[in-house]
Amino acid sequence: MTKYLISLFAFLCFLLPQQVGATNYFADFGVVGCSGAGTASTTSFCSLNDFTEVARASGDQLFVRRGTSTTTGMNSLTFLSDGSVADPIVVSADYDNIWGDFSTSSQTFTLAVGSSTMTASASITGIAAGDWIYVAGDQFETPLSPTVVDKIYSYEVKSVSGTELTLYFPYNGKQTGAGNSLRVMPDNPIRGLITDNFIGVQIATDGGWMIKGLDLRGTNSSGVVTVQSSGAIDFSDMILNGDDASVMGFSFIGGASFATGASISKTRTFKVRDSIDIGSANGAYVTVNDYFADCNNTDSINVIDSRSAGFSILKVNNLTSVNCPLGFEIGPGVGSSIGTFSQIYSRNSKFGGVASSSQVLFTGTSPGFKNEVYIEDVNGYIGENFFTSGAFSTTSDKMTIQKTLNTRNASTYSSLLVRSSPYFSNKNEHSMLKLFEYPIYTDTTSKTYSVFFSSTSTAGWTADPTASEMWIECEYWAHPLATGTTTRAVKRSTGVIDFNGSTAWQSLAVTCQPTAAGILYLRGWYRKPQESGKSNWFYVDVTPVVS
Amino acid sequence: MNLNTKLKIISGVVGLAVVAGVLTFLPNDPTITLTNPQKVEWIKPTTDAGWAEDVKAENFDIKSTGVLQEMRATHANKLQRIIDNGKEITECPTCIKYDLQSANPEWTQTDVDNEYANQLSSYQWNVEKLTQSVERMDNELRLRAKGFVVPDKNMEGVKTKQTDLDKVELQFKRIIND
C-alpha cells in the first residue's frame, strides 16, 4: 500500500498544474490535412498561424514538434492577442518530449562550465550538427504538462567530430566533470525558406509574447523578425537565416505611440544584413544575452545597427560574431538631423572578421546627440574597455576613451587614454565629457581626493586646459538642517595641469568634508575644444588617491 | 444563396458600440499588389446553433467563462487602442511614408509605398480580426448565459452538476480545458 501511494505521488508530481486560465496547444508541421483542433499532440495544428492569428488568453502555450519544417503556403506570421508580462503567450519548440522524439546519448561526456566543447567517452554516435542537447539533470521533461519554465539549459550542436562535440554557446548548466549523459532533441522546427519574401515573425502592437526554439528563414528586407511598438517580447534559442544580401535579422521599431521592449537570449543568426537593427522611429529597449552572428563575409553587414531617429537602448552581453565586416554602427544616419539618442552597452563582445577600423562605425555627417557606445572586455581581453560617442566623433573607431597600459606606477593596472574632440565645448552640459564617476562611502572627516593626469606629448598642446575646462569634483552631504532635510553640495578643484610643459603625472585635488556619513561621488570632467592642429590627448590614472 | 452572399469580406462592424466609428476610417482596398494581403473571410452565423459551432474556430468553447470574460475585455480594449492609434495610417499616408523614408534613407519610393501598404493591410486585418473575435466571444458568453451551451466546469475547476449537463445535447456541452 505504501509503495502504491509513493508511486501515485511520484506520478502526480509529473502532472504539474497549468497556469489557471491557460490552455496548451500543439503544432506538428509534418501533419497532413491541417484539420486538427490543436488541443492535443494527436490533433496538432499544422501551422503557427492557427495559434497566433486567433484570440488567445494570457498564458496560452503552443508547443511545436521538433525536427519538422513548413515551407509551403507561407506568409508573414502575425499576432492577434496580447499576453502579459507575468504570463506571456508562448510559442515554443518541444522541450518535454511530447511526441517521443528525444533520445539519450550512447556515450557519456566530460564537460566544464564556460566551455563550448564536450568530450565523449567514445566516438560520438546519434548526435549531429543542428541537434539540441541538454545535460541530464539540468532540466526535466514533463510531456503530459509541458512548460517553458526552467527550460534554459538546452544548446544547439555546432559540430561533431570523433569524440568532440562543439556547441555554439558555452555550457552554463549545473553539471561538471565526466560521466554525464546528454538528452538529444531534434532540430528546431523550421518555418520558411531563405528565398521566401515574407517576415518570419511580425509582431506589431502585440505585447507579452515569448517565442522560443524556432528556426525562421526569409528574405524580406524588413527582417526575418520585426517587432514594432510591442513590449515584453522575449526570444530565446532562436535561429534566423537570411539570404546574404538584403534581409535583416531582428528589426526593432518604435512607433508613434508605443516604444518597443524586447529581450533575446541564446540565439544565432546567419547571412543576414544587420543581425540586430534597432533603428527606431520612437523608442526601443532591447537586451541581448548570448548571441552568435555569422555574416558570411558579406560586404556592408553590421552585427549591430543602432542608427536611430529617436530613442533606443541596447544592452549586449556575450556576443560573438564571425565573418562580419562591421561591428556596431551608430549615428543619426545620413541626412538625419541632430536629435537622436542611441546607446549601446556591450560586455564581452567578440568581433571576428571585423576590420580593425570598423569595430564601431559612425554614419552621418553630423554628430549625433547622445549616440554612445560603452564597450567592456572586448574581444576576449579582460579590461579592454572603450567609450565613444557620436556627439564627439564622426570618425569610425575613434574611441573617445579607451584603456591603455601606460600607467603611473606598478600598482596601477591601467589608465584611460582620452582623445579630444572639436565638439567639446564649455558652453553647455551636452558637450562635456565625463571621465569617471566613483561612489565612495565617507564619514564626516575632511579628506583630499587627488586624481593624476599626464599628457601624451607636450607638443600636442598649445595651451593647457583651464580649471573650467578640466576639473574633478566631489558631490557630498552638506549643511544638514534637520534629520531628513540634508542637502548635497558639489565642490570643484581649482588647479590646472601643465600639459604643454611636461608629460609627468600631475594631479588635480579637491578637499571635501561631509556633514553626514554616506556616499560621496568623485567625478572628473573635460570640455576643452580640440585645438587646431593639435591632438590634445592625455592619460588619466583611474585610481584616485584619498588622504 | 450565391457566392457573393456567402462570402462576406468584413470591412466594418455592425452592432458593436466600441467600434462604431470604424467604418468611417477604413479606406478602399490598397492599389499596390501585396505578396500576402490578409483578409478576414467569414460566414457570420445567424442562429444560436450556428454561433455555438462557429466559436470553436478560435477554441472559445474550451475556455472557462471567467477566462472568456477576461479575454473579451482585453481584446476589446486592444481593438479600441489599435483604432485610436491607427488613425494616422488611414488619415495621413504621407505622414507614414515620410517617417519610413527618414528611417530608411536607402529605400526607394517603391519600397516605401510597399511598406506603407503592408502597414495599412496589417492595421485593417487587426481591426477586422479583433472585431470578429470579440463578436464571437460575445456570442459564446450570451449562449452560456441563456443556457444554450453549458460548460462542464468553471475557472476554479468546480464541476457542473451532471444532472444539469444531462439536460444539454452533447454538441452544446462545453468541455473546459484551461
Side-chain angles (χ1 to χ4, degrees):
Chain A
M1 179 63 174
T2 303
K3 286 185 181 178
Y4 167 77
L5 289 175
I6 292 173
S7 299
L8 176 63
F9 178 76
F11 172 73
L12 291 175
C13 284
F14 283 95
L15 299 179
L16 298 173
Q18 288 178 213
Q19 189 78 13
V20 173
T23 303
N24 286 340
Y25 298 88
F26 305 87
D28 181 350
F29 294 156
V31 166
V32 177
C34 292
S35 61
T39 52
S41 61
T42 52
T43 57
S44 296
F45 293 140
C46 66
S47 74
L48 302 182
N49 308 61
D50 292 334
F51 177 77
T52 68
E53 295 176 357
V54 298
R56 300 296 173 196
S58 290
D60 281 355
Q61 302 180 117
L62 174 73
F63 296 98
V64 187
R65 188 172 188 174
R66 289 181 169 276
T68 61
S69 63
T70 177
T71 58
T72 58
M74 295 285 93
N75 59 8
S76 297
L77 184 68
T78 51
F79 298 74
L80 186 68
S81 304
D82 291 346
S84 65
V85 172
D87 207 8
I89 305 173
V90 175
V91 176
S92 171
D94 175 20
Y95 288 84
D96 286 288
N97 198 21
I98 298 168
W99 283 271
D101 298 324
F102 299 3
S103 63
T104 300
S105 61
S106 300
Q107 299 78 35
T108 59
F109 288 78
T110 300
L111 46 89
V113 171
S115 173
S116 299
T117 59
M118 297 179 173
T119 304
S121 54
S123 187
I124 298 171
T125 58
I127 305 176
D131 287 341
W132 284 70
I133 61 97
Y134 71 85
V135 182
D138 277 349
Q139 57 191 50
F140 301 93
E141 297 164 14
T142 54
L144 297 181
S145 296
T147 177
V148 293
V149 176
D150 291 333
K151 299 296 198 301
I152 59 174
Y153 299 107
S154 303
Y155 299 89
E156 183 185 7
V157 176
K158 184 179 182 184
S159 65
V160 173
S161 177
T163 59
E164 188 166 282
L165 181 149
T166 303
L167 308 172
Y168 278 100
F169 296 103
Y171 172 69
N172 195 28
K174 296 175 281 189
Q175 318 304 320
T176 58
N180 295 283
S181 293
L182 305 182
R183 284 291 281 171
V184 185
M185 305 184 288
D187 299 11
N188 278 2
I190 298 171
R191 186 178 191 271
L193 298 170
I194 61 171
T195 53
D196 286 330
N197 185 15
F198 59 79
I199 301 171
V201 163
Q202 183 179 23
I203 298 177
T205 63
D206 306 305
W209 282 83
M210 174 189 288
I211 313 293
K212 184 176 177 70
L214 302 182
D215 182 338
L216 302 175
R217 305 181 180 191
T219 188
N220 189 283
S221 60
S222 295
V224 179
V225 172
T226 64
V227 182
Q228 180 174 11
S229 302
S230 301
I233 306 299
D234 182 89
F235 298 96
S236 62
D237 292 351
M238 299 289 291
I239 303 170
L240 271 58
N241 281 284
D243 67 343
D244 216 10
S246 59
V247 64
M248 289 184 283
F250 289 94
S251 177
F252 295 99
I253 311 164
S257 303
F258 301 102
T260 285
S263 61
I264 306 172
S265 62
K266 206 144 45 72
T267 288
R268 71 176 177 91
T269 60
F270 182 59
K271 294 170 65 172
V272 295
R273 180 164 63 86
D274 295 322
S275 192
I276 299 177
D277 189 314
I278 200 169
S280 169
N282 197 33
Y285 182 93
V286 179
T287 61
V288 180
N289 289 286
D290 299 322
Y291 195 90
F292 184 94
D294 186 342
C295 307
N296 200 43
N297 287 318
T298 300
D299 289 341
S300 302
I301 283 188
N302 301 305
V303 180
I304 305 283
D305 188 339
S306 180
R307 289 172 293 172
S308 170
F311 178 101
S312 67
I313 293 177
L314 175 64
K315 296 187 175 181
V316 181
N317 293 330
N318 303 323
L319 176 147
T320 299
S321 69
V322 296
N323 306 317
C324 295
L326 303 171
F328 296 132
E329 181 172 8
I330 67 173
V334 174
S336 298
S337 61
I338 297 175
T340 62
F341 189 113
S342 168
Q343 302 207 324
I344 299 177
Y345 300 87
S346 166
R347 288 180 179 168
N348 194 30
S349 293
K350 301 180 183 65
F351 297 103
V354 173
S356 61
S357 63
S358 302
Q359 185 167 271
V360 177
L361 176 68
F362 292 100
T363 299
T365 56
S366 58
F369 171 68
K370 277 297 193 183
N371 289 326
E372 299 174 342
V373 179
Y374 299 81
I375 302 175
E376 291 182 16
D377 304 329
V378 69
N379 288 330
Y381 293 98
I382 299 173
E384 284 290 317
N385 302 330
F386 304 89
F387 163 77
T388 192
S389 170
F392 305 135
S393 173
T394 57
T395 302
S396 298
D397 278 335
K398 185 176 181 181
M399 298 298 178
T400 310
I401 299 178
Q402 73 178 79
K403 189 201 87 171
T404 174
L405 297 179
N406 184 63
T407 57
R408 185 165 68 91
N409 56 51
S411 65
T412 305
Y413 171 69
S414 65
S415 301
L416 301 179
L417 169 63
V418 181
R419 296 187 176 93
S420 190
S421 166
Y423 302 110
F424 290 155
S425 166
N426 57 7
K427 294 183 179 178
N428 64 72
E429 183 178 337
H430 304 303
S431 56
M432 297 162 48
L433 177 66
K434 183 189 291 185
L435 301 172
F436 55 83
E437 180 171 18
Y438 303 121
I440 302 172
Y441 186 84
T442 62
D443 55 21
T444 57
T445 58
S446 175
K447 292 184 175 63
T448 298
Y449 302 87
S450 302
V451 178
F452 286 80
F453 303 83
S454 164
S455 69
T456 61
S457 166
T458 56
W461 300 84
T462 301
D464 296 326
T466 65
S468 65
E469 292 175 331
M470 186 168 85
W471 73 91
I472 65 171
E473 66 185 24
C474 49
E475 179 195 316
Y476 57 98
W477 290 113
H479 195 59
L481 300 178
T483 302
T485 61
T486 304
T487 59
R488 296 180 71 88
V490 176
K491 184 177 181 181
R492 294 184 179 185
S493 60
T494 57
V496 295
I497 301 292
D498 181 19
F499 279 152
N500 63 6
S502 171
T503 58
W505 288 96
Q506 307 164 61
S507 67
L508 294 175
V510 62
T511 301
C512 302
Q513 182 172 13
T515 54
I519 299 297
L520 172 149
Y521 293 95
L522 181 66
R523 291 185 284 257
W525 293 95
Y526 183 79
R527 61 181 185 182
K528 177 184 172 67
Q530 183 179 3
E531 297 170 309
S532 177
K534 300 292 182 180
S535 67
N536 287 172
W537 289 9
F538 60 94
Y539 300 112
V540 181
D541 186 330
V542 298
T543 307
V545 176
V546 183
S547 58
Chain B
M1 187 181 292
N2 61 33
L3 183 63
N4 287 335
T5 306
K6 282 187 177 178
L7 278 180
K8 177 187 288 184
I9 297 178
I10 297 176
S11 60
V13 173
V14 176
L16 285 179
V18 68
V19 294
V22 71
L23 281 170
T24 307
F25 301 115
L26 289 179
N28 296 325
D29 287 341
T31 57
I32 297 174
T33 301
L34 305 176
T35 305
N36 285 297
Q38 290 179 288
K39 289 193 179 295
V40 176
E41 297 183 351
W42 187 28
I43 304 173
K44 187 182 289 192
T46 56
T47 65
D48 285 352
W51 279 109
E53 191 60 30
D54 179 76
V55 300
K56 295 178 181 178
E58 296 194 59
N59 302 114
F60 295 151
D61 56 311
I62 67 173
K63 288 298 189 182
S64 54
T65 303
V67 170
L68 206 55
Q69 289 168 336
E70 290 176 9
M71 289 177 65
R72 198 276 177 198
T74 57
H75 285 80
N77 288 338
K78 181 171 185 178
L79 173 58
Q80 191 61 58
R81 190 171 73 241
I82 286 178
I83 290 172
D84 291 343
N85 291 297
K87 292 181 180 178
E88 188 178 21
I89 293 176
T90 55
E91 295 180 4
C92 188
T94 54
C95 303
I96 301 294
K97 292 181 182 181
Y98 176 84
D99 288 342
L100 287 172
Q101 187 72 80
S102 297
N104 304 279
E106 71 280 9
W107 281 13
T108 65
Q109 187 60 48
T110 300
D111 294 334
V112 171
D113 290 342
N114 282 341
E115 175 56 25
Y116 168 76
N118 282 328
Q119 290 191 16
L120 177 62
S121 173
S122 175
Y123 167 80
Q124 289 178 295
W125 178 82
N126 269 290
V127 170
E128 293 168 9
K129 187 66 192 74
L130 282 168
T131 301
Q132 178 195 48
S133 296
V134 171
E135 188 167 2
R136 278 175 165 162
M137 285 184 250
D138 280 342
N139 277 281
E140 174 66 13
L141 290 168
R142 176 181 64 80
L143 293 176
R144 293 187 187 189
K146 69 185 289 188
F148 189 82
V149 296
V150 179
D152 67 339
K153 62 178 180 178
N154 63 16
M155 184 164 62
E156 286 77 30
V158 176
K159 292 187 176 180
T160 301
K161 291 181 181 178
Q162 190 59 46
T163 50
D164 289 338
L165 288 175
D166 287 340
K167 301 171 186 175
V168 181
E169 292 180 36
L170 179 61
Q171 61 182 319
F172 298 131
K173 292 181 186 177
R174 297 310 199 204
I175 310 302
I176 303 303
N177 179 13
D178 67 7

